[in-house]
Amino acid sequence: MSAETERIRLHSGRSIPVLGLGTLADLQGEDEIIEAVKTAVRVGYRHIDCAAIYRNERAVGHAIKELIVMGLIQREDLFVTSKLWNTCHKPDLVIPSLKKTLEDLGLEYIDLYLIHWPMAYQEGGELVPLNEQGKTLNSDVDYVDTWQAMEDCRDMGLTKDIGLSNFNRRQIERVLEVARIPPVVLQIEVNCRITNSKLIEFAKSKNIVVVAYAPLGAPNIDDGNVKLIDEPVVKEIAEKYGKTPAQVLLRFVIQLGLAVIPKSTNHKRIEENSK
């Protein structure tokens, strides 16, 4: 795999790099994020996956600016994704939310903007608003209305393309029923353990490219299973072909025709994942 050259064509006519860097990094400081992005770009990554809820887009933007100033890349070399958070689903909040992301990233546009989740949270307070019983306070905004504001973002040139994240088949169908601009991407969890094969098949039937997050598994979720990279069969295949377990897991997903966005701030692993 070449992190720099493999791409998947979107139905908008543009293309998305097969390999991207996920920037969700719990407990990491800005310096770690900056160095991770710089390492990724140096070894060939051209897709950086961000989100407002990660609260580190300023650090990502700082890294991108440094790389451009150093002459290692130009802005058009990068494919930058971000996501609209649940508290900003009201149509009149969508454009300001994207403009805030652009300000944090220091960019005039991003390449892809996704609705992060189909559910909307109560606006104007905490990022995850809770009632006295600790339950999430939801908003009655319909993501169909949110989508129309997403289309406005693309019309304005704030993002080149728009898409969905964590939507199921029926939710995607509802968007497609009203869409003036259909989603080009669906971002969902896909790995050897969670294949989501039916949803992938449906997305492909609608010319929607699937981007897989957690391709190496979700280590923060204790489900009682062995970590994917520690699975004996994965280790056996890796040893047979002279690869790392992570490389085997990424190749499994890529061979499904998907893009992948493994997250890491470990420089050695970032480089290994690109090979």
Side-chain angles (χ1 to χ4, degrees):
M1 174 173 62
S2 169
E4 200 164 348
T5 58
E6 285 198 34
R7 304 178 75 93
I8 301 175
R9 189 171 179 81
L10 304 172
H11 70 65
S12 64
R14 304 178 74 247
S15 63
I16 184 170
V18 165
L19 180 66
L21 177 72
T23 60
L24 171 60
D26 297 336
L27 305 178
Q28 299 295 329
E30 287 199 352
D31 289 343
E32 288 86 354
I33 297 298
I34 291 169
E35 292 307 314
V37 172
K38 289 165 66 175
T39 295
V41 170
R42 286 191 183 107
V43 301
Y45 289 67
R46 292 296 179 264
H47 179 189
I48 309 297
D49 182 83
C50 311
I53 191 62
Y54 300 166
R55 293 188 253 188
N56 58 15
E57 290 189 324
R58 283 188 180 275
V60 173
H62 184 90
I64 291 172
K65 182 178 180 179
E66 281 195 25
L67 289 161
I68 292 173
V69 169
M70 293 166 63
L72 295 179
I73 54 165
Q74 296 180 332
R75 165 63 186 97
E76 53 268 28
D77 296 329
L78 287 181
F79 190 103
V80 180
T81 296
S82 189
K83 309 176 194 78
L84 176 76
W85 184 237
N86 304 359
T87 53
C88 301
H89 277 211
K90 284 183 66 174
D92 62 352
L93 295 177
V94 175
I95 291 173
S97 297
L98 177 49
K99 285 184 175 179
K100 176 62 166 60
T101 278
L102 291 173
E103 179 185 347
D104 287 346
L105 289 170
L107 301 176
E108 294 183 358
Y109 69 91
I110 57 173
D111 297 87
L112 178 64
Y113 199 42
L114 308 175
I115 300 180
H116 204 150
W117 292 90
M119 71 284 286
Y121 292 166
Q122 190 176 86
E123 303 83 6
E126 299 294 323
L127 291 173
V128 183
L130 304 174
N131 64 17
E132 292 179 356
Q133 289 73 43
K135 293 186 177 180
T136 306
L137 292 170
N138 294 318
S139 168
D140 60 1
V141 180
D142 191 329
Y143 53 78
V144 166
D145 298 324
T146 307
W147 184 255
Q148 293 172 338
M150 296 284 285
E151 293 173 325
D152 293 339
C153 290
R154 208 202 77 165
D155 290 340
M156 294 173 66
L158 301 176
T159 180
K160 299 293 186 181
D161 280 307
I162 50 179
L164 306 170
S165 177
N166 299 301
F167 277 57
N168 63 31
R169 175 172 178 156
R170 179 55 191 143
Q171 291 162 344
I172 297 168
E173 288 175 333
R174 288 195 65 230
V175 170
L176 290 173
E177 286 168 3
V178 303
R180 173 171 55 85
I181 303 172
V184 300
V185 157
L186 171 65
Q187 190 177 119
I188 54 175
E189 180 175 355
V190 183
N191 49 56
C192 290
R193 193 169 281 148
I194 300 175
T195 58
N196 263 319
S197 55
K198 289 185 178 180
L199 187 53
I200 292 171
E201 183 179 352
F202 170 74
K204 287 184 175 181
S205 76
K206 300 298 181 181
N207 293 318
I208 299 173
V209 170
V210 174
V211 175
Y213 70 77
L216 308 179
N220 293 334
I221 299 174
D222 183 10
D223 56 6
N225 292 318
V226 175
K227 289 182 180 180
L228 279 177
I229 59 173
D230 293 328
E231 285 282 3
V233 66
V234 174
K235 288 184 171 182
E236 182 181 334
I237 294 170
E239 186 175 348
K240 178 179 179 180
Y241 291 99
K243 300 292 184 179
T244 68
Q247 289 169 340
V248 170
L249 293 171
L250 291 174
R251 178 51 65 180
F252 170 84
V253 177
I254 290 169
Q255 288 181 173
L256 297 175
L258 315 185
V260 293
I261 46 171
K263 62 178 185 179
S264 181
T265 55
N266 181 293
H267 295 204
K268 181 181 178 182
R269 289 175 188 157
I270 288 172
E271 183 172 5
E272 286 177 346
N273 290 345
S274 71
K275 296 178 179 178

